[in-house]
Amino acid sequence: MDDFAQHDEDDPLTQHNTNVDEDPYARLKRAFVNERACPEILQYEESLVDEAVEHVDMQQAELDDRRASAATAEAGRDSSASDDLVDLLKTMELDRVKYLLRAYLRTRLYKLETFSLHIMQDSNLFSRLSQRERRFLGSHTDLLDKLHDDLVLKHLPQQFNSLVQQDTLVGETNDMVPSPNLDTHVFIRVRGDLGRVNVGYSESEPNGRPSEVDMSAGDQFVVRYRPIAQLLANGEVELL
Amino acid sequence: MAADVRAFARTATELYRDVALAEKHHLPPHDHDRLKRAIEEVKYHSEEAQNLLKAQEQEQDDANGELGSQDWTSNPASAAAVLVHYESILRNKRLMLAYVHERCQKIKAFRWRLGNAVPKEIVDRMAPEEVHFATQYNRILSEYMTGAGVDDRLGNIDLTLDATLPPKEPYVKVLVKRDIGEFVTEEGKTVHLIPGSMHLLRRCDAEPLIVQGVLEHEGYA
């Protein structure tokens, strides 16, 4: 990720939730890194993706124009070296934005495939997806269902023919649905002063005690994902 | 069949091992026979367990006439047998599903690595159900990437690109592996891609060919 470091220098770490003034490239990069490092699927950044696509289209059109006019001008005189350099830089920038965009979408698609059934069952997770992702997830789950059913499940005794339950006679819970481990640890960077934050266990989790740390802008921590999930959703911390 | 059935999920274990130990990009032939045998074993275990349960019920009805009471203390041997049969069923089931799942992952990986053109020798190693899955997966992935039926601004985006690392330079150095003759770049220039020769191509031109295995990425300019 070092390649993108120069874009981070002027990253206003002290800002709270105010993504608006920030460079769209830095925001897209953050969306990608967050998604990549996060165990569960995050809210789809629709406006950000739209903005990036618009930017790419605009740049591409501009480049095409320049090439076309350069081609006509070339007959008359040598194209200037500085023009070539500008072209090169623009092409590079375009490639980077496209790469980031694809990597972002691919990371999400990977999570959709891995946790298909889990996301389908959870309306909160499902609501985080884009239109395309919803369509894909729906068909993907059907396909998986059909494949496992045709090859194995429909040949088994009825009691054992469910894809999501080991034994349909024992309890109602789906005990065969893979889900992400939300208790895994993640690296975070704090984006604004947050004061004391509980990164231990909450009251609803009986197996541990709360433990608080001071979070100020720019601090970095390794913490369990679950307690900071909401902070990440609010944009108050970012993953590394 | 009773003799080999008593192996308690050994068939399913062998089945799974076959795919689990295979090399990353290798898909072993679909083992229909073994899968069928594992399914038969599940049925056998299920029947045996049912018989034991019925016998136990019968015995208890005779003893005290009380329906539904479950007192296995007088008969620990069949209690244990029922449990072992039950666990064998679950183990078999999980192993078979893992087998299908693992193969499914490999089949998906082919789509990402080779595009639509999956070679015939790989298709031959798939079960008909898997071939169907591969076709359908190809369809839904293409639908996602072209954005068919959805109204958004993303347009057409090919996610199978990016065989190389994040872009550092607009040009990449590539080695030609397969002869595809003349190639016209996006800029409208013609390149002769002769096997063994090295070229400096623009990323966007080189990427699809790298994914197809025509070119090999040698480094940055």
Side-chain angles (χ1 to χ4, degrees):
Chain A
M1 289 303 120
D2 288 343
D3 320 332
F4 307 110
Q6 70 268 30
H7 287 269
D8 260 355
E9 299 299 322
D10 45 19
D11 199 340
L13 282 172
T14 42
Q15 273 182 355
H16 246 287
N17 294 334
T18 44
N19 288 335
V20 191
D21 308 325
E22 218 183 330
D23 175 8
Y25 185 88
R27 283 159 56 206
L28 185 61
K29 185 195 152 200
R30 176 160 52 237
F32 165 62
V33 175
N34 280 347
E35 193 69 63
R36 187 67 174 253
C38 179
E40 65 176 340
I41 192 140
L42 296 170
Q43 176 64 44
Y44 179 63
E45 300 273 3
E46 186 170 4
S47 60
L48 198 51
V49 170
D50 283 356
E51 214 175 302
V53 171
E54 204 173 312
H55 176 80
V56 166
D57 289 348
M58 219 171 65
Q59 289 271 357
Q60 190 69 57
E62 202 179 308
L63 264 175
D64 290 347
D65 275 359
R66 291 170 64 90
R67 281 212 194 100
S69 58
T72 47
E74 211 165 324
R77 57 179 179 85
D78 292 338
S79 59
S80 81
S82 74
D83 272 5
D84 282 354
L85 186 65
V86 172
D87 269 10
L88 205 64
L89 290 175
K90 279 194 188 297
T91 313
M92 245 173 85
E93 194 205 341
L94 205 57
D95 277 354
R96 286 184 171 197
V97 176
K98 282 188 195 160
Y99 175 88
L100 211 47
L101 198 57
R102 285 195 298 257
Y104 173 66
L105 296 173
R106 203 168 32 229
T107 308
R108 293 180 61 86
L109 211 56
Y110 172 76
K111 288 186 190 175
L112 289 187
E113 288 194 0
T114 315
F115 304 117
S116 270
L117 295 165
H118 177 67
I119 298 174
M120 278 302 263
Q121 283 170 6
D122 188 325
S123 57
N124 175 31
L125 292 179
F126 191 74
S127 70
R128 297 179 185 175
L129 310 183
S130 74
Q131 251 188 310
R132 274 184 201 217
E133 289 167 343
R134 287 176 198 197
R135 269 175 76 104
F136 178 83
L137 182 66
S139 338
H140 183 259
T141 317
D142 291 345
L143 280 182
L144 274 190
D145 250 359
K146 189 166 162 45
L147 181 69
H148 288 86
D149 204 49
D150 286 350
L151 282 172
V152 178
L153 293 166
K154 74 177 180 195
H155 306 290
L156 301 185
Q158 202 189 355
Q159 186 185 353
F160 304 105
N161 71 0
S162 162
L163 181 62
V164 290
Q165 268 179 285
Q166 297 194 58
D167 176 351
T168 45
L169 297 184
V170 180
E172 290 286 296
T173 47
N174 296 337
D175 53 4
M176 294 219 304
V177 177
S179 60
N181 176 14
L182 302 184
D183 291 316
T184 186
H185 285 71
V186 289
F187 289 80
I188 64 165
R189 185 190 290 130
V190 183
R191 300 186 60 213
D193 293 326
L194 299 177
R196 294 193 76 74
V197 175
N198 178 19
V199 293
Y201 293 83
S202 69
E203 281 164 20
S204 54
E205 299 168 281
N207 50 343
R209 268 173 299 174
S211 97
E212 288 186 342
V213 290
D214 259 320
M215 288 195 179
S216 345
D219 286 354
Q220 298 185 9
F221 297 96
V222 185
V223 290
R224 209 158 56 90
Y225 172 70
R226 207 185 289 270
I228 58 99
Q230 194 52 47
L231 294 179
L232 178 66
N234 298 344
E236 288 166 326
V237 301
E238 61 189 349
L239 300 184
L240 300 171
Chain B
M1 83 176 265
D4 67 324
V5 135
R6 285 171 197 283
F8 300 107
R10 182 169 299 156
T11 317
T13 309
E14 283 165 6
L15 183 75
Y16 178 64
R17 187 177 294 148
D18 187 38
V19 63
L21 298 186
E23 269 178 56
K24 199 174 165 220
H25 294 309
H26 176 69
L27 183 77
H30 185 257
D31 198 340
H32 182 72
D33 292 340
R34 240 189 218 141
L35 187 61
K36 207 174 152 195
R37 252 192 296 150
I39 289 169
E40 289 305 320
E41 284 181 28
V42 170
K43 286 182 183 155
Y44 163 80
H45 285 305
S46 170
E47 275 162 27
E48 288 290 297
Q50 290 299 331
N51 290 341
L52 284 168
L53 285 171
K54 272 198 203 109
Q56 174 73 9
E57 260 172 43
Q58 196 69 46
E59 203 174 292
Q60 293 202 336
D61 285 353
D62 293 346
N64 51 23
E66 215 177 299
L67 271 172
S69 73
Q70 291 278 347
D71 184 15
W72 292 85
T73 40
S74 61
N75 211 351
S78 46
V82 170
L83 254 164
V84 171
H85 282 305
Y86 183 74
E87 289 300 329
S88 300
I89 295 174
L90 294 190
R91 189 168 170 73
N92 265 308
K93 175 176 172 179
R94 296 198 79 116
L95 282 165
M96 286 189 285
L97 290 183
Y99 176 71
V100 175
H101 178 77
E102 203 69 27
R103 289 180 62 86
C104 172
Q105 295 297 103
K106 282 176 186 272
I107 293 169
K108 280 183 188 171
F110 285 129
R111 169 62 183 88
W112 285 88
R113 225 159 42 87
L114 307 171
N116 304 340
V118 177
K120 187 169 178 306
E121 67 260 28
I122 294 177
V123 177
D124 286 345
R125 286 189 229 124
M126 295 187 204
E129 292 85 353
E130 288 173 331
V131 176
H132 174 78
F133 175 83
T135 333
Q136 292 302 309
Y137 180 71
N138 184 15
R139 182 181 62 82
I140 64 169
L141 192 61
S142 306
E143 260 178 30
Y144 176 90
M145 295 196 292
T146 54
V150 213
D151 178 31
D152 61 16
R153 314 205 45 181
L154 214 46
N156 200 342
I157 186 158
D158 187 352
L159 298 184
T160 59
L161 298 180
D162 305 322
T164 51
L165 290 167
K168 270 193 181 122
E169 305 278 339
Y171 290 89
V172 288
K173 204 168 14 169
V174 291
L175 176 67
V176 183
K177 305 290 281 186
R178 255 194 352 247
D179 195 353
I180 57 160
E182 285 185 3
F183 175 74
V184 182
T185 68
E186 210 175 78
E187 282 170 314
K189 288 172 186 151
T190 309
V191 190
H192 293 272
L193 297 179
I194 300 157
S197 63
M198 278 227 195
H199 299 267
L200 213 52
L201 291 180
R202 277 167 40 100
R203 276 186 77 81
C204 53
D205 291 325
E207 278 282 0
L209 296 174
I210 295 174
V211 174
Q212 285 167 36
V214 173
L215 303 178
E216 199 174 85
H217 183 224
E218 285 291 306
Y220 295 99

